[in-house]
Structures are given as structure tokens and as C-alpha cells.
Amino acid sequence: SQTIHQWPATLVQPVGSPLSLECTVEGTSNPNLYWYRQAAGRGLQLLFYSVGIGQISSEVPQNLSASRPQDRQFILSSKKLLLSDSGFYLCAWSVRQGSGYTFGSGTRLTVV
Amino acid sequence: QQQVKQSPQSLIVQKGGISIINCAYENTAFDYFPWYQQFPGKGPALLIAIRPDVSEKKEGRFTISFNKSAKQFSLHIMDSQPGDSATYFCAASGRGNYQLIWGAGTKLIIKP
């Protein structure tokens, strides 16, 4: 069966520090991968998506970046965090167009 | 034309009642309409989905009603229970587009 792992679950980082969030998927190959951010009590904002290794599409210009070094690995990074980067970060995967997403358990990031 | 409009923003229903959440879309190329359920601190989970070749799909107490001509679809939760209290998101996607277009979410509270 397919599973998605996302870590860490919570993270408190100072302003200006770097960030690396990792997401891995097991049990499938060539998944579509997504990074979302959700502000408290708000909706889902798509940040990045990837349809293959090394292929990254950015939806929102900001100080975050994403990389897909392996087929089932998706990384969200920042060189210098801002207060506004605080939020709930969710990784998701889908197998093909017109299919549902499976979300990870999320990372609660607080920038202080 | 890519938007999915969801209403209401919040909803309070008595235990045992029917919860109804509505979504409307403009893009006639959409052909997949899922609903997701999200509990606090967790990632959204696929609840039920429908394609436009049927007008209704039922899974347990959850039913999607789909009106292709009106470009609307809704989630009905029968015999609502306190455990159904969560945020619900509708979404849509179409041919040639891997991305789900999300509604803004509805916070549902079931009063015991």
C-alpha cells in the first residue's frame, strides 16, 4: 500500500534561519508531488508541484524553493525564513490527473 | 474560470441533523469533484468524489449531489454526529490538469 511520510511534525525556527522539510512517498512510482501551506483557519495554498524528478513548478513567488532529487522525495527549503512563513505545511501526492490527493500529516512551522 | 466557490464558510448543525455544503464552478472542463475532510492538526483526507456522468454518489452517511447544468455540487451529511465536526473542502480538476482547484473550506460544528 502507498504511504506518505512528512517530517518533522512541528518546528520552531528563528527569523533568518534556513528551512528544510522532507516528504517521501512509498509504494508507488512517478507520483505527482505537491507542497501546500495552510494559514490558521484558512484554506489550502499550493506552493509547488512536481510531475517528475527535477521538474518543479512554482505557484507562489516567495523565499521558498522546492526540489525533487529522487522520484519519491520532495523537499521544501528556504535560505532565510520570514515571520510570514509560519504556517501548516502539507505534502501530498497523486497518481495521475483526475485522481485524488493523499496528504501527509503536515509540519507546523512557527517562525519566531 | 478556475475558481471553485464554496459556501457557507461555517456551519453549525444539531446532532442528528443534515449538514449541507455547496460548491460552484465555472470551468466546464472539470471532470473530477472530490470532497476532503480535515481535522485540526491533520492533513485533509479524501472523503468522497464524483465524476459528472452521475448525479449522485452515496457512501454511508455522506452523499455528493451533482448538477452539471447548474455547475454545482454539494456534500450532504446525514444524521450528523459530533465526530463529523471538521473543516470540509471541495475541489475540482479537469482533463490535462494535474492540479486540484480548491474551495475555501467550510468549518462544520455538530452540536451534541
Side-chain angles (χ1 to χ4, degrees):
Chain A
S1 63
Q2 301 95 351
T3 55
I4 180 169
H5 302 280
Q6 189 179 342
W7 67 92
T10 58
L11 194 57
V12 180
Q13 291 284 96
V15 168
S17 64
L19 173 73
S20 180
L21 302 181
E22 189 164 342
C23 172
T24 59
V25 180
E26 295 178 358
T28 188
S29 59
N30 197 29
N32 300 320
L33 297 171
Y34 311 86
W35 278 111
Y36 279 86
R37 179 169 62 197
Q38 189 174 30
R42 305 293 296 275
L44 298 161
Q45 180 188 32
L46 178 64
L47 301 175
F48 302 94
Y49 69 95
S50 171
V51 298
I53 296 174
Q55 299 179 58
I56 308 294
S57 296
S58 173
E59 290 294 306
V60 182
Q62 55 200 333
N63 69 321
L64 298 173
S65 62
S67 62
R68 185 171 177 173
Q70 300 180 42
D71 181 45
R72 290 169 288 177
Q73 185 184 27
F74 206 22
I75 298 172
L76 182 71
S77 304
S78 174
K79 291 182 180 178
K80 288 185 178 182
L81 284 168
L82 307 173
L83 286 173
S84 58
D85 292 323
S86 294
F88 191 45
Y89 288 82
L90 290 156
C91 179
W93 72 274
S94 67
V95 64
R96 60 186 179 277
Q97 69 181 65
S99 66
Y101 291 5
T102 299
F103 283 87
S105 53
T107 295
R108 174 76 58 194
L109 172 66
T110 304
V111 182
V112 296
Chain B
Q1 205 183 21
Q2 282 290 87
Q3 284 186 330
V4 175
K5 295 182 179 179
Q6 184 173 346
S7 63
Q9 189 174 1
S10 61
L11 180 63
I12 300 174
V13 175
Q14 289 294 128
K15 178 182 175 183
I18 303 174
S19 304
I20 301 174
I21 304 171
N22 301 298
C23 284
Y25 64 96
E26 289 294 325
N27 190 343
T28 55
F30 287 155
D31 62 359
Y32 176 71
F33 303 90
W35 284 90
Y36 283 77
Q37 179 188 56
Q38 184 181 28
F39 294 106
K42 305 293 185 183
L46 180 63
L47 188 62
I48 187 173
I50 198 169
R51 298 193 184 273
D53 53 342
V54 296
S55 60
E56 186 175 283
K57 183 174 181 180
K58 185 176 181 179
E59 289 184 5
R61 296 184 293 109
F62 300 90
T63 300
I64 299 180
S65 296
F66 184 78
N67 186 328
K68 190 173 181 178
S69 60
K71 291 184 281 188
Q72 295 175 348
F73 58 110
S74 59
L75 176 70
H76 296 236
I77 306 174
M78 313 299 288
D79 187 26
S80 299
Q81 299 296 311
D84 297 329
S85 298
T87 299
Y88 292 81
F89 292 95
C90 65
S93 68
R95 267 179 277 274
N97 190 339
Y98 292 96
Q99 297 178 45
L100 284 175
I101 307 301
W102 296 88
T106 297
K107 185 173 183 178
L108 174 65
I109 297 172
I110 307 300
K111 283 197 163 183

